[in-house]
Amino acid sequence: MTIKTDYVLDAKGLACPMPIVKTKKALKDLASGEVVEILATDAGSTADLKAWAGSTGNHYLGTVQEGEVWKHYIRKKGGEDREEMSYPKTVKNEELGKRLDDMITIIDVREHAEYAFNHIPGAISIPLGSLENRLEELQKEDEIYVVCRTGNRSDMAAQLLSKHGFANVTNVLPGMSDWQGKTESL
Amino acid sequence: MSVTTWTAADVAKKVINKDELFILDVRNQDAFADWKIEGENIEYLNVPYFELLDGVEPIIDKIPTDKDVLVVCAKEGSSEMIAEMLSDEGMDVYQLQGGMKTWSEHLEPVKISDLKGGGAIYQFVRLGKGCLSYMVISGKEAAVIDATRMTDVFKDFAEKMGVSIQHVFDTHLHADHISGGKNLADETGATYWLPPKDAVEVTFSYEPLEDGNQITIGETAIQIHALYSPGHTIGSTSFIVDDTYLFTGDILFIDSIGRPDLAGKAEDWVADLRESLYSRYRELSEELTVLPAHFMITSELNEDGSVAERLGTLFARNHGLNIKDEDEFRSLVTENLPPQPNAYDEIRKTNMGKIVPNEEAQREMEIGPNRCAVR
């Protein structure tokens, strides 16, 4: 599985505490919402990164083990604190959950690494930042549901789609942070 | 001020002497909750190293200045960093060489007793994991019982004592730690004994250890009698050495008894466990000294760091030997059991020779406390 990220940190061969010291440094240079991939060979790095992310408010996405190397994914906190969402047409998670077998399009606008570890079956991954360049992949007349982690990025995505003439777009609230239905990973 | 490094042996002495000690454990909270350096006069503070990357000021006030302060982490890297930071703040601190990884592997040899006809019994106390191994020495020969995977310790000790290891025994197929028995036997040319009922799936050759086997060590003929005592596993076998010492394996401990569920057979083995503890052991002399394969808490250690008690005393004091009602006994050993040991299924497979993990993986599998007993 290849997961797209904004930055790759090579912490291979480094023992504790260096993987976390370096991750902390790397996150400083990233923008809020960006994702770092950390390559580590220290077996203890998974539990520690998870706990560290939890205590600092950053978002631990998941870990993939490939042979002797652990690939950890962390998304920098922040960037989702807009005061209010303004796109009017919304549904709750549960309502979308009932419609998964229908002819609808679900767009997951979170970062690719977030999508990789956990997404709604059938959802397409188009991160918010690349949505404007990928509009031709979508049909204007389709019934489109936009989902992210907490509803903010999907709110912006829904507005963008609407501005480009997509008529039937709905924002899903609150999004994957509280999704109780089935999920898939890559 | 300064940072001084303590070895696991230094810390072991502190634990055995019941010295006062303050441990700043900088591993993550789950790791600390699962397993730590135990001792009767140890005070703890657990703050993960990654919460102190910007400085140790937030915890300075919580660290005492009137006792030794030991900084501990998983493998030493983080404790070194935090200890330096504390030193920069003007404190004198110690840090554990090799971290919990080394602590888990440290064996502290303690002499149990001389034997009647010459020779002696030594117990190897693995404080970090609660495992007990033994070496019985007589003349120029030695036998090792329930060896841990750190086989060099036994080889070095035998060399120091000027004896050669002739026999290596496992009282049963272990599920909580990786046995060094087969490797030690191969490395020393000794005979490796394992109870055949526990060895049905093993992939290597061994000598079947059966009820009534008698093995002689050395010129003074220290005899080892095998006594079939199933319950923790179906093959569990006790030994009587020199008519004085009862090696109980994981059947009977000082303050607890063996659990029958680690091979998934709790219900089947309850009756065996009861029979072993309440009938077979009852027929033995109460003057025997019990030498178990584990301890659970450091209060089970005697003054000198050994773990040993008269059988008669255990009949009087060990709760697990004093449950008259069979149903109550059944529920004690099959219900509300403590969590199963970390990776116990993989450990059993390793001990059968079915998988051969590398050393790093073996260490990881053994991380965590011993959980072979029920109280």
Side-chain angles (χ1 to χ4, degrees), chain A residues 41 43 65 68 70, chain B residues 75 101 105 149 178 342-343 346-347 350 355-367:
Chain A
T41 47
Q65 193 182 351
E68 301 286 298
W70 281 269
Chain B
K75 294 179 195 163
K101 182 181 91 182
E105 295 182 348
R149 68 183 161 77
I178 294 164
N342 189 32
E346 284 172 285
I347 290 175
T350 307
I355 55 172
V356 186
N358 64 32
E359 195 182 9
E360 185 60 30
Q362 295 197 13
R363 277 188 189 126
E364 287 297 322
M365 286 158 64
E366 284 194 335
I367 288 294

Side-chain angles (χ1 to χ4, degrees), chain A residues 16-17 20 24 42 48 51 55, chain B residues 28 49-51 54 75 77-78:
Chain A
C16 176
I20 289 195
K24 189 174 186 250
D42 183 3
D48 283 2
S55 77
Chain B
N28 71 58
Y49 67 92
F50 46 77
E51 291 182 4
D54 292 328
K75 294 179 195 163
S78 304

Side-chain angles (χ1 to χ4, degrees), chain B residues 104-337:
Chain B
S104 168
E105 295 182 348
H106 178 70
L107 301 182
E108 186 71 16
V110 180
K111 186 172 177 179
I112 295 290
S113 175
D114 288 322
L115 295 172
K116 284 179 235 160
I121 294 182
Y122 294 86
Q123 186 176 51
F124 293 77
V125 185
R126 189 176 179 185
L127 284 165
K129 186 88 186 132
C131 302
L132 302 168
S133 306
Y134 296 89
M135 193 181 291
V136 179
I137 290 177
S138 176
K140 293 281 173 204
E141 295 185 353
V144 177
I145 297 167
D146 289 329
T148 60
R149 68 183 161 77
M150 287 72 78
T151 55
D152 285 348
V153 176
F154 304 105
K155 288 190 289 185
D156 292 349
F157 193 81
E159 196 183 326
K160 201 178 87 185
M161 304 305 284
V163 296
S164 73
I165 298 171
Q166 298 291 316
H167 297 278
V168 176
F169 302 92
D170 269 319
T171 51
H172 63 287
L173 185 79
H174 298 284
D176 65 298
H177 68 274
I178 294 164
S179 168
K182 176 63 180 167
N183 285 344
L184 181 61
D186 288 350
E187 288 159 13
T188 58
T191 307
Y192 178 56
W193 301 81
L194 188 63
K197 286 188 177 174
D198 276 6
V200 175
E201 295 178 62
V202 306
T203 59
F204 45 74
S205 63
Y206 64 97
E207 204 61 40
L209 178 68
E210 282 164 326
D211 205 355
N213 274 146
Q214 290 198 20
I215 293 120
T216 300
I217 309 289
E219 297 139 19
T220 45
I222 304 301
Q223 286 195 325
I224 296 182
H225 305 247
L227 174 74
Y228 183 54
S229 50
H232 174 63
T233 63
I234 191 64
S236 288
T237 299
S238 305
F239 299 100
I240 297 171
V241 173
D242 205 20
D243 296 326
T244 310
Y245 298 94
L246 176 62
F247 290 74
T248 54
D250 282 6
I251 289 291
L252 174 62
F253 307 112
I254 302 300
D255 194 27
S256 55
I257 58 175
R259 63 194 285 176
D261 65 313
L262 295 182
K265 302 271 176 66
E267 286 296 333
D268 297 359
W269 294 352
V270 173
D272 290 319
L273 183 62
R274 188 159 175 98
E275 164 81 13
S276 294
L277 291 174
Y278 284 73
S279 301
R280 292 212 140 203
Y281 280 3
R282 279 283 174 188
E283 290 160 13
L284 304 172
S285 162
E286 296 204 343
E287 296 310 315
L288 289 171
T289 298
V290 170
L291 297 171
H294 288 293
F295 67 95
M296 282 176 79
I297 45 177
T298 48
S299 64
E300 290 174 275
L301 268 57
N302 299 324
E303 292 281 302
D304 60 355
S306 69
V307 179
E309 188 53 86
R310 229 180 112 255
L311 181 59
T313 305
L314 296 188
F315 278 135
R317 292 199 197 144
N318 188 317
H319 172 64
L321 293 177
N322 286 286
I323 302 170
K324 297 222 162 50
D325 184 67
E326 283 194 30
D327 289 335
E328 193 186 327
F329 182 82
R330 173 177 298 273
S331 67
L332 172 79
V333 299
T334 57
E335 293 164 21
N336 304 318
L337 289 168

Side-chain angles (χ1 to χ4, degrees), chain A residues 66-81:
Chain A
E66 280 179 9
E68 301 286 298
V69 179
W70 281 269
K71 296 158 94 178
H72 309 291
Y73 298 88
I74 288 183
R75 178 169 176 262
K76 187 173 177 176
K77 66 178 169 185
E80 292 176 302
D81 307 326

Side-chain angles (χ1 to χ4, degrees), chain A residues 68-114:
Chain A
E68 301 286 298
V69 179
W70 281 269
K71 296 158 94 178
H72 309 291
Y73 298 88
I74 288 183
R75 178 169 176 262
K76 187 173 177 176
K77 66 178 169 185
E80 292 176 302
D81 307 326
R82 285 193 313 139
E83 289 296 306
E84 55 191 80
M85 290 175 244
S86 58
Y87 187 77
K89 197 170 168 194
T90 63
V91 290
K92 292 218 167 71
N93 280 1
E94 300 77 52
E95 292 167 53
L96 175 63
K98 290 176 203 152
R99 302 217 39 213
L100 295 185
D101 294 331
D102 297 348
M103 288 293 290
I104 57 171
T105 300
I106 303 172
I107 305 174
D108 189 325
V109 297
R110 296 175 302 161
E111 295 305 304
H112 184 251
E114 296 176 84

